[in-house]
């Protein structure tokens, strides 16, 4: 299901604002797609190193076209690679922050544990920002119970499920987490997009 342009931009604004406010100097965009977040992040001089990772060759080709000028002018600062971050040692370490914008719902639930371990356990960025659809809101889009917004989505969580997952990750890997809603809020169904911002606790070690 196509999302309204206003919601798409609201997600990007929330994520970029969270990343900028974290004072991160380096950014890892996991599941960068066609480069929507990267196009906004690259103009922020705060980010001295930016890497986009995308499993789809087609989406990555679009990102390369959209960011062609930046890739040519500042290749040492911005790079794009094909990858999934689901295999051991495939999530680059050494980044201050990571973003997963509408990404986790494309992962087979049986592979989520690998993503969790690689991102939070191995790479351990100081800040992680994740957005994902709020399944409760789908009714307002005219979808049937259990119907997903996109054919490529493997799951969509309600707010309590996303919150429980995020809190478990925070406890397990030594982060604190804050939750937000993005888009027009409904009194019963919440916002169309839900978000979690993880901040690593320096005094805690990973599990």
């Amino acid at each position: 299901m196509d999302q309204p342009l206003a919601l798409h931009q609201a997600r990007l604004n929330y994520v970029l604002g969270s990343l900028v406010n974290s004072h991160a100097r380096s950014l890892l965009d996991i599941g960068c797609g066609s480069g929507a977040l990267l196009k906004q992040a690259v103009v922020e001089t705060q980010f001295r190193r930016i890497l986009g990772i995308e499993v789809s060759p087609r989406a990555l080709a679009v990102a390369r076209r959209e960011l062609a000028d930046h890739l040519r002018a500042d290749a040492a600062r911005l790079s794009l690679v094909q990858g999934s971050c689901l295999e051991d040692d495939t999530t680059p370490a050494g980044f201050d922050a990571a973003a997963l914008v509408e990404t986790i719902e494309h992962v087979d639930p049986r592979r989520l544990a690998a993503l969790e371990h690689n991102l939070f356990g191995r790479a351990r960025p100081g800040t992680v920002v994740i957005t994902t659809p709020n399944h409760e809101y789908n009714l307002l889009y005219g979808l049937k119970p259990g119907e997903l917004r996109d054919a490529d989505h493997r799951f969509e969580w309600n707010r309590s499920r996303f919150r429980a997952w995020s809190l478990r990750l925070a406890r397990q890997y030594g982060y604190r987490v804050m939750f937000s809603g993005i888009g027009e809020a409904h009194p019963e169904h919440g916002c169309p997009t839900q978000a979690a911002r993880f901040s690593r606790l320096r005094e805690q070690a990973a599990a």
Side-chain angles (χ1 to χ4, degrees):
M1 174 182 178
D2 291 333
Q3 298 300 303
L5 180 60
L7 176 58
H8 173 68
Q9 189 58 54
R11 278 196 295 259
L12 297 178
N13 291 347
Y14 169 84
V15 173
L16 185 63
S18 297
L19 296 169
V20 169
N21 290 338
S22 76
H23 305 292
R25 296 291 186 179
S26 55
L27 169 61
L28 175 65
D29 186 359
I30 299 174
C32 67
S34 59
L37 178 63
L38 295 175
K39 286 176 68 176
Q40 296 191 192
V42 76
V43 301
E44 297 286 343
T45 57
Q46 168 180 324
F47 300 119
R48 298 176 179 175
R49 182 186 177 204
I50 302 173
L51 173 62
I53 296 179
E54 172 57 47
V55 68
S56 166
R58 180 176 298 177
L60 197 61
V62 174
R64 291 190 187 281
R65 289 197 302 271
E66 292 291 320
L67 292 158
D69 290 343
H70 295 287
L71 289 168
R72 283 193 298 267
D74 204 357
R77 177 174 175 249
L78 172 67
S79 55
L80 300 173
V81 298
Q82 186 175 358
S84 70
C85 296
L86 292 177
E87 306 299 333
D88 287 349
D89 299 322
T90 58
T91 304
F95 284 85
D96 297 334
L100 296 89
V101 182
E102 307 298 286
T103 296
I104 62 170
E105 65 272 11
H106 294 272
V107 178
D108 188 317
R110 296 170 295 182
R111 305 297 310 279
L112 269 181
L115 176 62
E116 297 168 11
H117 177 68
N118 288 336
L119 177 59
F120 289 94
R122 288 179 178 269
R124 292 189 59 72
T127 298
V128 179
V129 183
I130 297 176
T131 75
T132 193
N134 168 22
H135 189 68
E136 297 165 66
Y137 205 89
N138 286 0
L139 179 66
L140 302 179
Y141 287 133
L143 299 180
K144 300 176 182 177
E147 188 176 359
L148 304 183
R149 296 184 198 179
D150 189 286
D152 192 51
H153 289 183
R154 304 302 182 90
F155 63 89
E156 291 172 4
W157 285 335
N158 61 28
R159 287 170 291 174
S160 63
R161 179 67 183 86
F162 180 62
R163 184 179 181 87
W165 178 76
S166 300
L167 288 171
R168 176 182 62 78
L169 290 182
R171 288 192 299 268
Q172 182 174 352
Y173 292 107
Y175 284 75
R176 68 174 179 271
V177 60
M178 297 177 60
F179 298 96
S180 297
I182 303 172
E184 184 176 358
H186 183 275
E188 181 181 354
H189 303 297
C191 295
T193 295
Q194 52 189 333
R197 174 182 171 178
F198 298 83
S199 301
R200 193 180 66 227
L201 299 174
R202 295 179 184 276
E203 66 273 16
Q204 289 188 231

